[in-house]
Amino acid sequence: MSGVFQRDPVTTLAQTATDGTDATDGTDETVGTMGTPMAVLQSHVHKTNGAEVLLSSWRVLDADSFSITAHWPRDHAFYRPVHGHYDPLLLAESVRQAVPLLSHVAYGVPFGHRQAWEQLRFDLNSVALVATTTPAELELRIACSDIVRRGTRLAALTMAVDIALNGQCLGTARTRFNNQPAAVYQRLRGPYANLARAQARALPPGPAVTPARVARDRAEDVVLSPTDRAGRRQLRVDLTHPTLFDHPVDHAPGMLLLEAARQAAHLASARPSTVVAMETEFIRYAEFDSPCWVWTDPLPSDAQGRRRVLVTLEQNGRRIFAADVTTESAPDL
C-alpha cells in the first residue's frame, strides 16, 4: 500500500490524536523493571471514562521494546462486532492508547504534552479477527525506533507493533507520532487552541447516511452525511458522542477520521465487508467550523485480490487526511 500519498507541499501540521488534557503537568516518573508487569492507569491513556480504557498492563522487554496487554470488551458501546468480526478500529484505539502510555511511562513525557499522530498503518488477519464468546486478550509487542529528542525531551518516535489475539497472530501495525509541549501546541493552533471558542464555532452535525450502509446500527454512530455529489460525503461531527468525544477537544480527533475512512470504505463496497488494513496519513487539523469533505476513489486490488479504496478528507480546499483502506467480503456472504 505504498506510493499512494504525496504530502501537501505547504507546511503541514500533524493531526492531534490524543489531547493530553490531564489534571497535572508533572512528569510521570514510572520506570518499568525489566520483565515486571506494571498497571496501566486511566490517566496514562488520556481517557475520562474508565470503561474506554483497553490497556491493562505493560512491561519492558528490552531497550525501547515493550509488551502491552489489552482486553477488548465484546459489548463495547461503539466498537461492536461487524459482520462476525471484531471491530478493526478496536485495534487502532489500542495502538492509540499505547502512544500516550509509553510516552509517559517509558520516555518521561509530562502530562499536558500532546501526542500527535503523523501516520498509522495496520494489516490484520481476518480469520483471527472473527469474534467469539471467549474473552479477547491481546498482546502488543512494540519496538520503538527513529527516536528524536530535543535536548532531553521526546520529540517523535515510530512504533512497530506485532499483535496477538488470544495467542493467535492477529497482524501488525506501525505508527509515527510527535510530542508537543503545551507552548508549542498553543503556537501551532493559534486561535483554535481556545477550547471553548473552537467548540462554540462548531457546525451542527448533518443528517446521517443510512446506518446499515456503513455497518452501523444507530444513526448517532454514523460520521458521514450525504451530499449531492457522487463519491463525496460530509464529515458528521457530533461533539456529544460519548466515545469519539470522551473529553472536550478543540478539533476532530484522529479516531473520528479513521472511523470516517472505515465508513466511507463500507459505502464504496457493493457487498457487506470487513476492513482488514489501512495505511493513513494525518496532514492537518480537522476543524469544527467549516465543512470537511470525505472523498472516495477506487484503487487497484492488492496482491491477494482484496478490494482497496482511497479515502481523502479535504477542508477549506486543502487535503487534511488520507487513507488507503483494504476490505474483504464478510464471511458466508
Side-chain angles (χ1 to χ4, degrees):
M1 295 191 292
S2 61
V4 175
F5 310 125
Q6 295 181 355
R7 183 171 290 276
D8 192 321
V10 178
T11 301
T12 60
L13 303 178
Q15 166 68 37
T16 299
T18 56
D19 79 332
T21 52
D22 296 274
T24 176
D25 286 332
T27 302
D28 188 324
E29 297 296 341
T30 303
V31 177
T33 302
M34 193 79 70
T36 303
M38 304 284 287
V40 174
L41 304 181
Q42 186 174 330
S43 60
H44 288 153
V45 298
H46 301 178
K47 283 295 183 182
T48 300
N49 181 359
E52 297 292 337
V53 178
L54 302 178
L55 311 185
S56 55
S57 66
W58 70 282
R59 60 191 175 95
V60 178
L61 298 177
D62 206 338
D64 300 313
S65 296
F66 310 90
S67 174
I68 297 175
T69 300
H71 294 86
W72 287 353
R74 183 166 174 79
D75 58 350
H76 191 278
F78 181 62
Y79 297 119
R80 292 183 290 274
V82 178
H83 303 315
H85 290 97
Y86 286 111
D87 189 324
L89 290 197
L90 271 173
L91 183 277
E93 173 61 17
S94 299
V95 172
R96 188 211 64 77
Q97 292 187 17
V99 167
L101 169 67
L102 292 183
S103 294
H104 294 314
V105 303
Y107 293 98
V109 170
F111 290 110
H113 286 211
R114 315 291 181 110
Q115 290 74 55
W117 252 339
E118 297 179 7
Q119 297 172 338
L120 172 69
R121 175 180 184 174
F122 65 80
D123 197 338
L124 304 178
N125 173 6
S126 62
V127 174
L129 201 59
V130 172
T132 69
T133 56
T134 304
E137 179 174 297
L138 283 85
E139 182 186 14
L140 310 178
R141 286 188 168 249
I142 300 178
C144 298
S145 63
D146 300 323
I147 300 169
V148 178
R149 290 183 170 86
R150 300 286 183 261
T152 60
R153 175 181 67 82
L154 177 70
L157 64 76
T158 297
M159 292 181 175
V161 190
D162 291 320
I163 311 134
L165 173 59
N166 293 334
Q168 184 177 7
C169 178
L170 178 60
T172 60
R174 186 177 182 87
T175 188
R176 184 160 182 84
F177 67 93
N178 62 68
N179 177 62
Q180 302 167 354
V184 173
Y185 183 78
Q186 292 283 333
R187 187 163 61 250
L188 288 174
R189 297 291 287 140
Y192 285 100
N194 185 305
L195 177 60
R197 289 176 59 189
Q199 296 209 339
R201 291 193 298 260
L203 302 178
V209 302
T210 304
R213 293 194 62 201
V214 293
R216 286 296 184 187
D217 298 324
R218 306 179 303 179
E220 54 263 41
D221 290 336
V222 175
V223 303
L224 300 177
S225 292
T227 73
D228 58 1
R229 293 188 61 175
R232 188 184 81 166
R233 276 81 185 181
Q234 184 174 348
L235 184 66
R236 183 174 182 272
V237 181
D238 180 2
L239 299 180
T240 68
H241 194 282
T243 297
L244 294 172
F245 290 90
D246 167 81
H247 50 272
V249 290
D250 59 36
H251 61 274
M255 288 303 298
L256 173 57
L257 307 190
L258 294 177
E259 180 65 24
R262 185 263 291 280
Q263 292 189 16
H266 282 299
L267 275 175
S269 178
R271 306 177 66 193
S273 59
T274 298
V275 171
V276 292
M278 278 194 192
E279 182 176 355
T280 69
E281 184 177 22
F282 298 82
I283 304 165
R284 296 179 182 272
Y285 294 96
E287 310 295 359
F288 295 146
D289 61 355
S290 59
C292 180
W293 306 112
V294 182
W295 295 90
T296 55
D297 295 285
L299 293 172
S301 298
D302 71 2
Q304 302 175 48
R306 302 182 300 186
R307 291 184 297 275
R308 294 167 57 227
V309 61
L310 176 64
V311 181
T312 306
L313 274 61
E314 295 181 353
Q315 190 171 52
N316 298 320
R318 297 185 297 186
R319 187 178 59 168
I320 64 170
F321 170 86
D324 176 345
V325 186
T326 303
T327 62
E328 287 185 3
S329 295
D332 302 321
L333 294 174

